[in-house]
Amino acid sequence: MAEYELVIRGGTVVTAAEAYRADVGIRDGRIAALGERLEGADILDAGGLLVLPGGVDTHCHIEQLEPDGTVNEESFTSGSTACLAGGTTSVITFASQFKGHGLRETLSEYHRRAKRAMVDYSFHQIITDPTDAVVRDEIPEIVASGIRSLKVFLTYDPLHLDDRQYLRVLAAARRTGAFVTVHCENYEAIRWRSAALLADGRTGPKYHAWSRPPVVEREATHRAIALAELVDQPIQVFHVSCGEVAEEIVRAQARGLKVWGETCPQYFVLQASDMDRPGFEGAKFMCSPSPRSHAHAEELWGAVRRGTLDIVSSDHSGASFSGDKGKAVHGNNAPFTMIPNGVPGLASRLPILFSEGVAKGRVDASAFVRLVATNPAKLFGLYPRKGTIAPGADADLVLWDPARKVTITNDLLQHAIDYTPYEGLAVTGWPVITVKGGLVVMRDGRVQAEPGSGNFLPRGPYEMIQPRGVLPDGFHAARFLV
Ligand code: DUC
Ligand code: ZN
Ligand code: ZN
């Protein structure tokens, strides 16, 4: 009898540290061995291909509930299909609190919905209303249940927190051993500038970028970091769009603070000028923070190479271009302030990053693996089960053709959203087979996985997100207040 259920033979295994020729032997859904001439009941020929850990997307919005009773268009089944098509096998999506409500009722609804997922998953708990009960009782409870990260918004109605509320969430996270992720833009600055733009009749999609220039993101990033330092709470700054924001993170890291930065493919390839396309077309490119320019993208690549930004997530958001739920929900003459933010990107994340990064010589294949799989798995407590190719890890793998040239079209991406902002983008490098838990779940674009085959990933405590133990004056304010 063959020693392994599946052997991936003859490929180049790429990990965070190295690339080398090896067969991968899989048993019971896990990687059992790396070696030469392994024998298996099933063989996948990986000659000429890279063998990568399955992508880990730690920032994507799937089947997210809105306070008005609607749910975003990407379901756990359609979203999983897109993930597997694009080489991603694990996600962290969001469970959102509604203001005036607790966390428990919505979290249980997210668990119920995610039971149809075909990728492994966890949640970040969005806190929009840090009441005493939420901070004192519910955050510890949900963290104990395995949801070890909280998300806060410093802008957006009705999500944003003021500084006091943000401090309360940081303190609750510190008390319970949770991590905090932050959307950094200045709420009042955007409102003030947007009102002025509308008063001047500047309503089109391109003014979205004008409403939130880099300084708006830089100020909020600085403040988010400073308040996290005050509480001694580790944070990750979500979706950094440009170099001057990354510099805030450089300064924090140089001071020894536990601050990490994420960016997304849209900031490498989209530009503010895309929102200036004729008619309503510009809405397709509208996300927050705003896309900037190719010059800003080169600054981001510098920050990635220096390790300041160490994770690239999709920030996939469900808003189709047509239809009554999506970008045109308020008509296609709606002012930019009324157009839903966000761009889809579950399936295009790896191809765009590989093409722009590895194929164009900006980073090597191991750096690519770190950015899309290893670092997100480490920062969010999923490593070494996820994000690496090593004995004992889940057999979540992507067989990747580094030379395949593809022109992106929406059909290839298999999400529920009716468009991609990357339509017509030429990329080099494409996933040809995705393996999850030792089973082939995508081959040449055909996804075959059972709804419900995804598993919830509970996340316990881990070293990386422990506070430093450095408090101003040694005074531990979080201990005395809820
Ligand atoms: N920005 C976010 O912060 N979330 C979803 C969509 C977007 O553009
Ligand atoms: Zn955000
Ligand atoms: Zn987001």
Side-chain angles (χ1 to χ4, degrees):
M1 208 173 90
E3 201 176 346
Y4 303 105
E5 285 152 19
L6 175 66
V7 166
I8 299 173
R9 183 174 286 165
T12 299
V13 170
V14 186
T15 68
E18 55 194 342
Y20 57 97
R21 293 292 292 270
D23 297 346
V24 183
I26 295 167
R27 201 188 300 122
D28 295 331
R30 292 187 178 224
I31 296 169
L34 293 156
E36 284 178 37
R37 287 182 288 281
L38 303 184
E39 292 299 334
D42 268 326
I43 304 286
L44 281 179
D45 177 10
L49 302 177
L50 306 179
V51 182
L52 313 173
V56 179
D57 192 346
T58 49
H59 180 172
C60 46
H61 301 267
I62 295 178
E63 216 165 318
Q64 197 167 313
L65 307 172
E66 304 297 338
D68 64 1
T70 60
V71 57
N72 79 20
E73 291 171 61
E74 204 67 72
S75 70
F76 278 97
T77 42
S78 63
S80 299
T81 304
C83 283
L84 297 175
T88 287
T89 48
S90 301
V91 296
I92 305 185
T93 65
F94 296 86
S96 192
Q97 180 195 12
F98 299 143
K99 273 196 203 297
H101 294 259
L103 309 182
R104 294 185 192 108
E105 67 251 53
T106 36
L107 183 58
S108 58
E109 176 64 6
Y110 283 101
H111 275 293
R112 194 186 67 73
R113 288 170 176 269
K115 284 203 171 12
R116 293 186 62 72
M118 305 184 295
V119 291
D120 291 349
Y121 60 91
S122 185
F123 304 105
H124 305 293
Q125 176 65 55
I126 297 175
I127 306 292
T128 61
D129 197 1
T131 60
D132 286 358
V134 165
V135 164
R136 189 187 52 229
D137 306 327
E138 291 202 283
I139 289 179
E141 188 180 308
I142 62 138
V143 172
S145 80
I147 313 288
R148 197 152 288 270
S149 43
L150 309 176
K151 156 89 186 275
V152 297
F153 289 88
L154 301 186
T155 191
Y156 278 139
D157 271 320
L159 305 172
H160 87 283
L161 302 187
D162 63 25
D163 289 352
R164 169 88 186 204
Q165 291 173 313
Y166 173 50
L167 283 166
R168 280 166 64 86
V169 175
L170 291 169
R174 194 182 194 284
R175 284 192 298 268
T176 50
F179 190 49
V180 177
T181 63
V182 194
H183 178 121
C184 297
E185 292 185 292
N186 181 307
Y187 173 71
E188 292 296 349
I190 293 169
R191 285 199 341 147
W192 177 74
R193 238 177 115 81
S194 297
L197 287 163
L198 297 184
D200 195 32
R202 298 176 193 261
T203 60
K206 82 168 190 182
Y207 294 108
H208 174 73
W210 290 38
S211 73
R212 53 217 321 133
V215 60
V216 166
E217 186 184 347
R218 170 159 55 81
E219 183 281 332
T221 302
H222 180 85
R223 183 163 34 98
I225 291 171
L227 297 183
E229 179 177 357
L230 188 68
V231 179
D232 185 30
Q233 169 58 38
I235 61 167
Q236 187 196 34
V237 177
F238 266 172
H239 42 47
V240 172
S241 73
C242 58
E244 69 182 75
V245 174
E247 279 167 21
E248 295 294 336
I249 297 171
V250 171
R251 272 193 287 279
Q253 291 171 344
R255 287 162 56 67
L257 304 181
K258 286 190 160 184
V259 174
W260 288 268
E262 168 210 79
T263 189
C264 313
Q266 45 271 39
Y267 301 111
F268 292 123
V269 293
L270 302 182
Q271 303 197 78
S273 56
D274 286 317
M275 286 181 281
D276 197 18
R277 297 197 189 179
F280 195 58
E281 190 73 10
K284 288 182 175 174
F285 308 91
M286 187 181 282
C287 58
S288 291
S290 171
R292 309 288 182 197
S293 68
H294 289 331
H296 283 106
E298 285 309 326
E299 293 170 5
L300 286 181
W301 278 114
V304 163
R305 277 192 296 269
R306 290 187 288 276
T308 309
L309 305 177
D310 66 346
I311 290 179
V312 177
S313 306
S314 68
D315 197 7
H316 175 91
S317 300
S320 280
F321 187 59
S322 326
D324 52 10
K325 274 177 151 185
K327 296 278 186 186
V329 61
H330 298 293
N332 53 16
N333 275 318
F336 68 88
T337 46
M338 306 279 283
I339 300 171
N341 281 203
V343 293
L346 291 172
S348 49
R349 179 177 72 115
L350 269 59
I352 291 175
L353 197 75
F354 187 91
S355 186
E356 292 296 310
V358 184
K360 293 193 177 169
R362 291 181 171 111
V363 293
D364 65 16
S366 284
F368 170 73
V369 164
R370 288 197 293 276
L371 290 164
V372 301
T374 314
N375 290 345
K378 283 184 174 171
L379 188 59
F380 290 96
L382 301 173
Y383 188 85
R385 179 171 172 192
K386 305 291 185 187
T388 191
I389 302 178
D394 284 358
D396 296 350
L397 300 158
V398 190
L399 276 57
W400 188 274
D401 184 344
R404 182 163 316 173
K405 293 190 184 307
V406 173
T407 300
I408 291 182
T409 61
N410 198 46
D411 286 351
L412 289 173
L413 304 179
Q414 303 193 45
H415 48 222
I417 311 304
D418 68 356
Y419 82 99
T420 170
Y422 310 115
E423 189 76 32
L425 182 72
V427 293
T428 302
W430 198 256
V432 288
I433 291 180
T434 305
V435 173
K436 186 187 161 295
L439 300 175
V440 174
V441 286
M442 187 282 287
R443 192 189 288 262
D444 292 326
R446 277 190 315 282
V447 173
Q448 274 185 317
E450 284 298 314
S453 52
N455 298 305
F456 173 60
L457 298 168
R459 295 176 287 133
Y462 52 103
E463 173 63 30
M464 203 164 170
I465 60 164
Q466 298 275 310
R468 293 188 311 149
V470 180
L471 287 156
D473 307 314
F475 177 63
H476 194 343
R479 231 184 242 153
F480 299 94
L481 298 170
V482 290

